[in-house]
Amino acid sequence: MEKVYITGIGKYIPKKVLTNHDIEKMVDTSDEWITTRTGIKERHVVADDQCTSDIAVLAAKEAMADAGLKPTDIDLIIVATITGDMQFPATSCVVQRKLHAKNAVAFDISAACAGFPYALSIASEYIKTGRFKHVLVIGAEALSRFTDWTDRGTCILFGDGAGAAVVSNVPGKTQSEVLSDYLGTDGTHVGLLNTPGGGSVHPATHATVDQRLHYIKMEGNAVFKIAVKSMTEAVNGILQKNELIIDDIASLIPHQANLRIIKAVGKAVKIAEERVFVNVDKYGNMSSATTIVALYDAVRSGVVRPGDLVVLVAFGGGFVWGATLIRW
Ligand code: UT7
């Protein structure tokens, strides 16, 4: 089996900022409520002429430059997204064209907020078997296009952004190595978090648009509890699988949906608060992009240092959850 290295990372966050005060003008909410209930202060949204593949490409270019690779060196592109450019084809095909990565095969995966750990798991298996040498793994979302800006229960939470990692069979500038992953799925709660309209159940009609079915729907309170339980299981599961204890982990990098969820998971797995990375205040929940952008910020700010054992953990609609163990 080949080893799996992260040889480059990149991110792109759209320039336009939407603060809690901006949202106060749109729905019946307050900066105080959003801050205390979620930890979010602001999020970014794509420009009118930007779509998911555009921001994916910008994150990917930085990751490839970081890895010292050209687009033609990439064998496979996986885009994790729930807000693709179109229903089909895959956004990864658009990314492949925009990057001129003509040697790469490309597909998307839909694993909502767990998109990055899921995509990284797929990439790792392809590297381990020797099938591919360099895989571009991207998490990219334009959630603002699917957010109901009249629903205060959801519109306060989401933001747009993209993150990317190059995963290779040889080390890059650092020895950052993907060691293991842990994935879980429970399809019994599909109704708690979804975008019901526009698929084969409710194809787009005037009625589905009038009923706002093409926007994200969530039973926030129920999702909150399952998120804490599932991410706790994923962290404990990956530690057990690798015969580690929580004190071996230098940084826990959780999905950034809500600061209260992050704190509850940290408490449940008994890790000191200062070892749990948080950037939800700046970006909100960027679904598939969240964990890779958090890893990027943790590395670039010096929180994660070479040699550190790091656990990424995420949870999202499906429900799906996953953790990745990395030695940075
Ligand atoms: O990425 C994975 C998927 N997403 C998540 O993991 C998110 C999970 N859920 C959450 O983060 C939280 O459930 C929310 C932030 C969405 C909501 O927080 P909560 O503490 O679960 O509040 P709640 O839904 O139980 O609502 C409490 C009250 C309600 O009022 P009443 O019925 O008590 O009078 C809501 O109507 O807060 C009200 N409320 C708001 N008030 C002001 C709900 N949203 C807002 C708002 N501003 N934006």
Side-chain angles (χ1 to χ4, degrees):
M1 288 285 211
E2 302 278 337
K3 289 188 171 191
V4 183
Y5 298 95
I6 295 181
T7 51
I9 50 175
K11 81 166 180 184
Y12 177 78
I13 304 294
K15 296 202 169 41
K16 187 174 171 192
V17 176
L18 204 59
T19 65
N20 291 347
H21 295 295
D22 295 326
I23 296 185
E24 281 175 351
K25 295 176 196 137
M26 299 157 78
V27 288
D28 180 16
T29 191
S30 64
D31 172 47
E32 200 265 330
W33 193 95
I34 303 171
T35 306
T36 53
R37 306 300 276 196
T38 73
I40 300 166
K41 294 300 287 183
E42 58 187 38
R43 69 288 292 143
H44 294 243
V45 295
V46 284
D48 291 345
D49 61 352
Q50 260 177 339
C51 60
T52 299
S53 62
D54 292 328
I55 62 174
V57 161
L58 292 167
K61 282 184 174 168
E62 185 186 351
M64 287 189 296
D66 192 35
L69 294 176
K70 303 185 295 297
T72 48
D73 295 324
I74 303 296
D75 304 308
L76 167 66
I77 299 170
I78 307 174
V79 175
T81 188
I82 52 166
T83 57
D85 287 8
M86 290 174 260
Q87 185 83 344
F88 84 95
T91 298
S92 55
C93 297
V94 184
V95 169
Q96 190 245 25
R97 169 172 62 79
K98 288 181 178 172
L99 288 175
H100 306 292
K102 60 182 171 51
N103 300 321
V105 295
F107 59 82
D108 287 1
I109 66 143
S110 171
C113 306
F116 187 76
Y118 266 65
L120 188 54
S121 173
I122 299 166
S124 299
E125 297 303 323
Y126 274 119
I127 297 286
K128 277 190 220 165
T129 58
R131 174 86 182 262
F132 294 124
K133 290 188 172 61
H134 301 294
V135 181
L136 186 54
V137 182
I138 305 170
E141 303 286 5
L143 287 157
S144 60
R145 297 271 157 80
F146 300 85
T147 298
D148 185 344
W149 293 104
T150 67
D151 174 15
R152 69 177 183 172
T154 55
C155 75
I156 56 162
L157 297 171
F158 301 113
D160 300 340
V166 177
V167 182
S168 305
N169 66 344
V170 286
K173 290 177 296 198
T174 64
Q175 296 288 319
S176 313
E177 189 181 343
V178 180
L179 300 174
S180 178
D181 65 57
Y182 178 101
L183 304 177
T185 297
D186 177 1
T188 58
H189 300 292
V190 167
L192 293 180
L193 177 55
N194 59 32
T195 301
S200 60
V201 176
H202 300 294
T205 60
H206 282 292
T208 62
V209 173
D210 289 345
Q211 291 161 30
R212 311 182 80 75
L213 297 186
H214 52 295
Y215 291 126
I216 300 165
K217 311 281 180 202
M218 180 171 63
E219 301 285 338
N221 209 270
V223 174
F224 187 112
K225 290 173 193 146
I226 302 170
V228 173
K229 183 173 152 284
S230 305
M231 287 205 284
T232 301
E233 178 207 304
V235 175
N236 289 333
I238 202 159
L239 292 177
Q240 206 174 4
K241 189 172 164 185
N242 292 277
E243 297 177 355
L244 294 169
I245 58 168
I246 196 71
D247 292 342
D248 296 323
I249 304 304
S251 288
L252 178 66
I253 304 196
H255 176 55
Q256 311 277 318
N258 184 321
L259 184 59
R260 287 157 54 221
I261 295 178
I262 294 169
K263 286 192 171 169
V265 172
K267 200 169 159 206
V269 303
K270 299 188 174 62
I271 187 166
E273 243 181 62
E274 59 275 15
R275 287 196 281 139
V276 181
F277 189 76
V278 174
N279 64 3
V280 70
D281 50 318
K282 292 194 287 184
Y283 307 127
N285 178 355
M286 299 180 290
S287 193
S288 300
T290 291
T291 37
I292 174 60
V293 168
L295 175 65
Y296 178 101
D297 284 359
V299 169
R300 292 288 184 257
S301 63
V303 169
V304 167
R305 290 183 295 263
D308 280 358
L309 269 183
V310 174
V311 169
L312 306 187
V313 63
F315 167 85
F319 289 120
V320 285
W321 56 96
T324 315
L325 178 68
I326 299 169
R327 182 175 299 281
W328 195 261

